[in-house]
Amino acid sequence: TGAIQVCLDMKDDIGQQMTAAARTLDQEEKSDNDLRDKFGARWTRSSSQTINAPLRKDLEEARRTLSMASGADDKVYGMVQDKRPLLEKLSWGLDQLDALVSGAGDKAYEAMDKGSSTEQLRQQAAQLMARVRGIERLMEERES
């Protein structure tokens, strides 16, 4: 979002500069018209409005371009916001990513991590046999 904020700030700055440029053209044209009114036919230079027409056209084209770029920025910003959870995973460490990819938190994955079913049965059988032996010892001690 930092880069997007930079774009938004630049858009605002450029918009202000375009507004200032248009204001300067307006003031210059007003001054030219005032002098033309004051001096009449003796004021022989071309009108500022005619001279400034290409500048105003360029300024309007720049405004349209800025508007289109702003729309594209808004679209990208919306896409970034929609994908933010996925993008945040890019900053995760390898352990977190490995756990995500290998299925940590998934009960089937956790069961696999404990060994195969055969291995689990062997462990349970060994525990059961140990209990049986313990019970047999207790019974022998009672009988003696």
Side-chain angles (χ1 to χ4, degrees):
T1 357
I4 293 173
Q5 187 58 49
V6 168
C7 289
L8 293 173
D9 293 344
M10 287 175 59
K11 180 190 106 178
D12 291 342
D13 290 344
I14 292 169
Q16 290 171 3
Q17 291 175 12
M18 284 194 271
T19 299
R23 195 175 316 118
T24 300
L25 291 176
D26 292 343
Q27 290 170 351
E28 196 278 328
E29 288 176 11
K30 183 182 179 324
S31 173
D32 181 62
N33 288 336
D34 290 347
L35 291 170
R36 193 171 301 284
D37 289 345
K38 181 178 180 180
F39 293 106
R42 294 188 321 222
W43 192 258
T44 58
R45 70 175 243 196
S46 298
S47 75
S48 289
Q49 188 173 10
T50 302
I51 295 170
N52 291 342
L55 294 173
R56 289 192 183 276
K57 182 179 176 188
D58 290 346
L59 190 59
E60 188 54 39
E61 186 175 324
R63 284 187 198 276
R64 278 194 303 274
T65 301
L66 182 63
S67 177
M68 286 175 34
S70 177
D73 289 346
D74 291 344
K75 185 174 183 176
V76 168
Y77 182 75
M79 291 169 62
V80 167
Q81 293 304 338
D82 289 346
K83 302 296 182 192
R84 180 165 295 287
L86 294 173
L87 293 171
E88 286 175 354
K89 289 178 184 169
L90 293 175
S91 67
W92 286 9
L94 290 177
D95 291 342
Q96 291 172 302
L97 290 172
D98 185 46
L100 177 69
V101 171
S102 59
D106 182 359
K107 291 184 185 209
Y109 171 77
E110 290 173 2
M112 285 178 23
D113 193 38
K114 293 178 183 174
S116 68
S117 297
T118 305
E119 182 61 33
Q120 289 177 11
L121 285 174
R122 283 185 184 147
Q123 289 174 356
Q124 290 173 355
Q127 290 171 354
L128 183 59
M129 288 301 292
R131 287 183 187 153
V132 168
R133 286 188 197 115
I135 293 171
E136 286 175 347
R137 274 190 297 255
L138 285 174
M139 289 173 61
E140 286 175 8
E141 287 175 6
R142 282 187 186 172
E143 289 176 6
S144 40

